[in-house]
Amino acid sequence: MPAPLRPEFHEGQILAADDLSAVVRYDRDAAARHHRHLHTWGIASGLEVTVRARAGSDIYKTVVVGSGTLLDPSGREIVVPAPVELSTPDQGFVITDPDNTAARPLMLMWSDQPSKGAATVSSGGCATNGAARTSEGFALVVGAPGDELDLGDQQPPPPDAGPDWLGGGDRGRVLLSFVTWGGGQDGGFTAVLPRANGVGRRYAGVLADRVSARGGTLELAAEPRPVAGKVGVRIGGEHGSLDIGRFNAAGALAPALRVLGDGSTQIHGDVKITGGLSVTGAVDSPLVTGSVLVQSGTATHGVILPLPPPVTADQVESGEIVLHLQVTPRLQTYGGPHEGGVDGSGFGALPVVLRCEVDSQRRLSCLIAWYGGFGPDEALDSPSVLPGAADYFVLATARPTT
């Protein structure tokens, strides 16, 4: 298979039309190979498809294809310089099976035409009928329902080939949108749909094993410009980290997950796990929805009950963490006044809980009244109110997000 031929010129050389055409062909072929082997084909910019009211009809619509550019599967660049309107088949498109109201693919392919008004070419006093320019035009094709399903199978030309024709000798087609047709052969377009049968507009991409950022920050987003609330990825930047998060109204990425240069990972926000999770290192993170932390022990009157680590008071104050507390007074007959009986035949005091509760600051209030004089030789005395102790149980849960 011959390699691409690069035109060379020398002093005194007589240039024929084929010599000059070879210059143009060499550049076109090189651009096509670049587009085909370093990019994926599809829409590069614009070419939005909309509808507006059709003149003289209350039912049918006029389809408008906006200006823009695309790369077809052969690597050819196709330019639509101005909006194009489609309304009735007399404009050149064909409606097959016009009684079928299912979604039809609206596709674009190249269609070269001799430039109108171009001067004839003369060489050596002999005039030819060839045009001096070729219009690299396009054609809009309204396919039959289902024609979109084989667009992904279009075969590119051989590696050394230029643009225009595919491997099977066909012209490449690029899907712009879907349209619906009603009213039979004399009907018209009724709507424009962005997707049908799980297929939508295809945009041009990049084939690369490495993408580097010269400014130190690489950002990936699903839209040409950051959209508030949409997810994006950033590599590098101020922290030299990998950040995954959402764009805010100012267009900046607010990370929800950050991987730092030391190998540590930070998570900001809730984590929902539907499958298994294996952690091989230490975990130091706040509560996430569905998890529970517990702290328990014994405290005395006036003590502030501790929070389960790593829960903070700020998380409780903000409502991010919900606490559930339970306290149980510790009752025993020892430790109170009049301990024991005179003759040992009874006990000297009976505890009665007056209060055992926790206030909004988690401070324990535990007061016990001790009644003495129980025994064969004891008289009933007035109670002694003393601070007591209680077993506590603090359960912390993360408030579910909506």
Side-chain angles (χ1 to χ4, degrees):
M1 181 178 293
L5 295 175
R6 182 176 68 249
E8 298 284 352
F9 303 105
H10 309 282
E11 291 292 340
Q13 177 180 352
I14 297 176
L15 299 180
D18 185 65
D19 296 319
L20 298 178
S21 296
V23 176
V24 177
R25 185 166 54 250
Y26 181 81
D27 289 339
R28 288 187 76 238
D29 290 358
R33 288 191 294 269
H34 173 91
H35 293 156
R36 193 166 64 238
H37 301 305
L38 291 178
H39 297 272
T40 59
W41 57 270
I43 298 170
S45 66
L47 300 176
E48 299 292 338
V49 182
T50 58
V51 292
R52 62 172 178 80
R54 174 173 149 181
S57 176
D58 296 332
I59 301 175
Y60 303 125
K61 309 293 183 182
T62 295
V63 175
V64 181
V65 177
S67 60
T69 60
L70 60 77
L71 301 177
D72 81 352
S74 75
R76 174 170 178 157
E77 179 186 65
I78 302 177
V79 179
V80 179
V84 180
E85 297 182 355
L86 290 180
S87 182
T88 59
D90 57 12
Q91 293 177 269
F93 62 87
V94 178
I95 297 294
T96 59
D97 190 10
D99 294 323
N100 191 338
T101 59
R104 302 168 178 270
L106 175 61
M107 300 169 287
L108 187 146
M109 62 184 183
W110 66 267
S111 179
D112 286 352
Q113 299 292 334
S115 180
K116 295 180 179 179
T120 58
V121 181
S122 62
S123 176
C126 299
T128 68
N129 293 323
R133 304 287 188 272
T134 294
S135 174
E136 292 191 336
F138 59 89
L140 290 169
V141 179
V142 181
D147 281 355
E148 71 279 0
L149 298 178
D150 64 351
L151 292 179
D153 298 330
Q154 296 180 96
Q155 297 299 315
D160 64 328
D164 303 339
W165 301 104
L166 301 184
D170 298 323
R171 285 181 286 178
R173 299 166 294 161
V174 179
L175 176 67
L176 302 182
S177 186
F178 289 88
V179 295
T180 54
W181 181 272
Q185 190 64 52
D186 297 326
F189 295 109
T190 56
V192 167
L193 305 174
R195 299 181 63 85
N197 299 322
V199 180
R201 286 162 60 92
R202 173 168 175 158
Y203 290 88
V206 177
L207 297 172
D209 292 322
R210 179 184 177 89
V211 179
S212 302
R214 292 170 293 178
T217 301
L218 176 65
E219 250 184 25
L220 303 177
E223 294 81 16
R225 297 178 180 85
V227 177
K230 293 298 183 69
V231 174
V233 178
R234 178 177 61 211
I235 301 175
E238 177 183 357
H239 301 282
S241 57
L242 167 64
D243 297 338
I244 301 175
R246 297 193 302 174
F247 292 103
N248 58 27
L253 187 71
L257 180 132
R258 169 170 287 173
V259 180
L260 299 172
D262 60 4
S264 62
T265 302
Q266 298 175 352
I267 299 177
H268 307 273
D270 295 327
V271 176
K272 296 181 180 179
I273 300 173
T274 57
L277 175 66
S278 299
V279 180
T280 57
V283 177
D284 182 14
S285 64
L287 276 172
V288 296
T289 300
S291 61
V292 176
L293 294 177
V294 175
Q295 179 79 8
S296 63
T298 302
T300 57
H301 174 77
V303 170
I304 296 178
L305 302 186
L307 294 171
V311 176
T312 65
D314 289 340
Q315 290 177 305
V316 176
E317 182 69 22
S318 67
E320 179 184 351
I321 301 298
V322 178
L323 295 181
H324 306 271
L325 299 95
Q326 179 177 324
V327 290
T328 304
R330 295 179 65 90
L331 299 178
Q332 64 278 327
T333 58
Y334 58 87
H338 312 294
E339 186 173 322
V342 173
D343 58 3
S345 60
F347 54 86
L350 174 67
V352 176
V353 178
L354 298 180
R355 175 182 297 174
C356 189
E357 59 190 18
V358 179
D359 63 15
S360 60
Q361 302 300 317
R362 305 189 316 280
R363 189 181 301 276
L364 175 65
S365 178
C366 184
L367 297 175
I368 299 177
W370 297 87
Y371 288 87
F374 288 84
D377 299 321
E378 296 289 336
L380 184 63
D381 294 333
S382 297
S384 298
V385 178
L386 300 175
D391 296 325
Y392 66 84
F393 182 87
V394 180
L395 185 145
T397 62
R399 185 185 297 276
T401 58
T402 56

